[in-house]
Amino acid sequence: MNAPTNHQFKLARRPVGMVQRGDFEYVETPVAQPGEGEVLVKVLYISLDPAMRGWMNEGKSYIPPVGIGEVMRAGAVGRVINSNHPGIVAGDHVVGMLGVQQYAVAKGKGLTKVDPGLAPLPVYLGTLGMPGMTAYFGLLEVGKPKAGDTVVVSGAAGAVGQVVGQIAKIKGCHVVGIAGGADKCAYLRSIGFDAAIDYKHEDLKAALKQHCPKGVDVYFDNVGGEILDAVLTQLAMHARIVICGAISQYNEAKMKGPSNYMSLLVNRASMTGMVVFDYASRYAEAAREMAGWMAAGKLKTREDVVEGLETFPETLLKLFKGENTGKLVLKVAEA
Amino acid sequence: MNAPTNHQFKLARRPVGMVQRGDFEYVETPVAQPGEGEVLVKVLYISLDPAMRGWMNEGKSYIPPVGIGEVMRAGAVGRVINSNHPGIVAGDHVVGMLGVQQYAVAKGKGLTKVDPGLAPLPVYLGTLGMPGMTAYFGLLEVGKPKAGDTVVVSGAAGAVGQVVGQIAKIKGCHVVGIAGGADKCAYLRSIGFDAAIDYKHEDLKAALKQHCPKGVDVYFDNVGGEILDAVLTQLAMHARIVICGAISQYNEAKMKGPSNYMSLLVNRASMTGMVVFDYASRYAEAAREMAGWMAAGKLKTREDVVEGLETFPETLLKLFKGENTGKLVLKVAEA
């Protein structure tokens, strides 16, 4: 076999503040061959997620940090070239932690087969992937919305937020999205949100008061910072806050805590953290239900596809600058 | 009847920062007479509570603020002089919101009769009063400790904290108290805490690591600020944080939020606010159980009694300076 060349982004140093190209090393290497139980995959689409910023930091978290000199961790979908794993054959499409590279050698048991005939491949990184699972379990298992509840979600036009809001609508809630910019807000209204607040151009507290006259029953927080603090001032009694992320703070040297957290006391409210991996045994069940909603036209998906592995550092920055609408993916190859 | 003279502390202005004598007006007035359904009570002991600082602020909270010119709100226990309420007669001892004054006219239905033969009167403001109820319901209903759990409580030598720790011991937990000063820590060990950390003189994080080697399962927070932030770094998986108060922050112009709150996500943990009034229908049940523990020697109480109504502003400050050990009460009269 004429081994093609692989290109990889490796973590070169721990970022300080906003992530930048110099935090990575872009290298060319021969494509490795799969060992026993392993699979060689040609990467087609790479998932860009806010959580990646956290994986670049030293220190204890829900998974170990990416080591210096290691290929940057990323979820991705690709086509199998060569398999030494039973149940996976060349030509299969698989999703898994394939990393920021053109070719990945991965353990077969960590991969999940997907069907490009049922949904476009990027959807398996978005609504039918980790972000969709995060939205589904975070909202339903932690937020526990009841019909008639007011549900607010931040980062609402992102991969997780857009799904949170649509599932909340399916469950009969009054849904308010917070996003940056008129275009994103128009998108949210177009997929059925009852209201969308442009936090960059509106008075957030006043807008929350207007759109949540009975207070906020469930707040799904993807952003932290000032937005979390503003929503805390508008809680309904016994409100549930789902802590899913804090993208506004990931590039800050020192996280800002929610100054208004005593609203939890006044309102007998709770703030609970969630990590999607805890629900792995139920992903298939959730994917089935969400695929059904998609087929019925109740759950729409949108992906923001950027081409070219070599653009990875700058494309990742789109997340932290709030420039993406829908799931941000990097297209590495056509097929 | 020769009407005796009443002395009262009225709220003169909203405090800015630390409360001071000038925030109150000390006035002499005739003793009022009770109307229909009302009772005249001679106040014997006044409860001094951290929550009083919050009641002095303008704005929405779990109860309305004390109005400017109104007698400062306070729980108190006293002896009935004169009653127009069925079921209460002169000579009865009652507890209720009697205010910072020598004589109170109160609606009879807001008062609860207590028996000075069963427990000293100040205990009805502490372990058998609001602080005890707060500890009981906050720990058991919100913290939900299981035998073997590590339970940490801050403000541990205060009225609530000392009861939280002792109930956690009764439930089979490993109990660590955080308090300021060697005397308070010695007191905590003397009533059965497994460990006590003097946050003023020890490295709090290192001490938490030492005394909570498996992490913190339940944290009962009375103080907020730096201590809450330190405990957040030491959570066990699925930890429960009970937000009961934030005494370190009540006199600050701007509350400090917990910067390390993303530990809730990493550890799938929750932070939940509680207000004792929600459990009012179950106070009697809790008081019975706690009186039983007291009789069995499993639950000890300590009160810090300061004499003289006129010392009220300075005595209240003891709370915020951390100078009290056990329940702080102001003794107004002997009987």
Side-chain angles (χ1 to χ4, degrees), chain A:
Chain A
M1 175 179 177
N2 286 347
T5 304
N6 191 12
H7 286 89
Q8 307 176 311
F9 276 95
K10 292 181 167 181
L11 186 62
R13 66 183 181 205
R14 306 256 166 241
V16 176
M18 194 60 91
V19 60
Q20 50 184 287
R21 178 167 278 266
D23 298 329
F24 302 99
E25 189 187 6
Y26 185 54
V27 297
E28 187 176 312
T29 56
V31 172
Q33 290 305 311
E36 189 55 36
E38 292 184 333
V39 177
L40 173 62
V41 184
K42 183 178 182 189
V43 175
L44 303 177
Y45 294 92
I46 293 174
S47 178
L48 299 186
D49 296 285
M52 294 167 79
R53 181 63 185 81
W55 303 342
M56 297 169 76
N57 291 338
E58 197 74 61
K60 183 193 164 197
S61 185
Y62 58 94
I63 45 172
V66 177
I68 300 297
E70 288 179 11
V71 174
M72 180 61 202
R73 181 188 294 145
V77 63
R79 184 172 49 79
V80 174
I81 303 289
N82 189 345
S83 171
N84 293 326
H85 184 80
I88 297 181
V89 297
D92 281 349
H93 287 87
V94 293
V95 65
M97 284 295 179
L98 300 175
V100 184
Q101 55 187 341
Q102 289 175 297
Y103 291 91
V105 168
K107 290 201 193 315
K109 67 178 179 181
L111 302 175
T112 304
K113 286 205 277 187
V114 298
D115 182 349
L118 283 181
L121 288 174
V123 173
Y124 291 105
L125 299 177
T127 304
L128 293 179
M130 286 303 116
M133 298 297 129
T134 302
Y136 183 95
F137 291 106
L139 178 67
L140 298 180
E141 297 294 321
V142 184
K144 297 188 194 300
K146 299 181 300 294
D149 275 356
T150 295
V151 174
V152 173
V153 55
S154 57
V160 174
Q162 62 176 351
V163 179
V164 167
Q166 292 179 89
I167 296 178
K169 282 306 298 176
I170 289 167
K171 297 297 179 183
C173 301
H174 177 73
V175 177
V176 178
I178 303 173
D183 288 352
K184 290 183 181 180
C185 288
Y187 168 64
L188 294 176
R189 288 183 206 101
S190 79
I191 59 172
F193 281 57
D194 295 292
I197 301 172
D198 176 359
Y199 74 89
K200 289 187 178 168
H201 302 103
E202 291 183 58
D203 175 336
L204 181 55
K205 263 198 207 176
L208 283 167
K209 264 191 190 145
Q210 180 194 337
H211 296 299
C212 310
K214 292 182 289 183
V216 177
D217 297 296
V218 177
Y219 174 50
F220 193 108
D221 189 30
N222 290 306
V223 304
E226 303 292 340
I227 293 180
L228 171 56
D229 248 343
V231 177
L232 276 164
T233 67
Q234 305 298 323
L235 297 183
M237 289 285 281
H238 305 290
R240 287 85 67 200
I241 297 179
V242 183
I243 298 295
C244 175
I247 195 170
S248 75
Q249 303 296 303
Y250 291 165
N251 292 289
E252 303 293 328
K254 175 80 178 155
M255 295 273 294
K256 183 194 171 305
S259 319
N260 297 323
Y261 80 102
M262 286 298 282
S263 172
L264 297 178
L265 183 148
V266 173
N267 295 297
R268 293 75 160 164
S270 66
M271 187 147 97
T272 305
M274 68 90 53
V275 174
V276 67
F277 304 149
D278 296 349
Y279 301 93
S281 67
R282 296 172 56 195
Y283 287 169
E285 161 203 329
R288 263 195 310 276
E289 185 160 28
M290 294 212 283
W293 290 333
M294 286 169 67
K298 291 181 187 172
L299 177 55
K300 297 179 180 67
T301 70
R302 179 160 164 177
E303 295 80 36
D304 189 334
V305 179
V306 177
E307 297 211 20
L309 179 72
E310 67 283 1
T311 71
F312 164 68
E314 292 74 27
T315 305
L316 182 63
L317 275 180
K318 285 185 69 169
L319 283 174
F320 302 109
K321 293 180 182 164
E323 291 174 0
N324 62 304
T325 299
K327 171 63 197 169
L328 183 63
V329 294
L330 193 59
K331 182 174 176 180
V332 179
E334 190 65 51

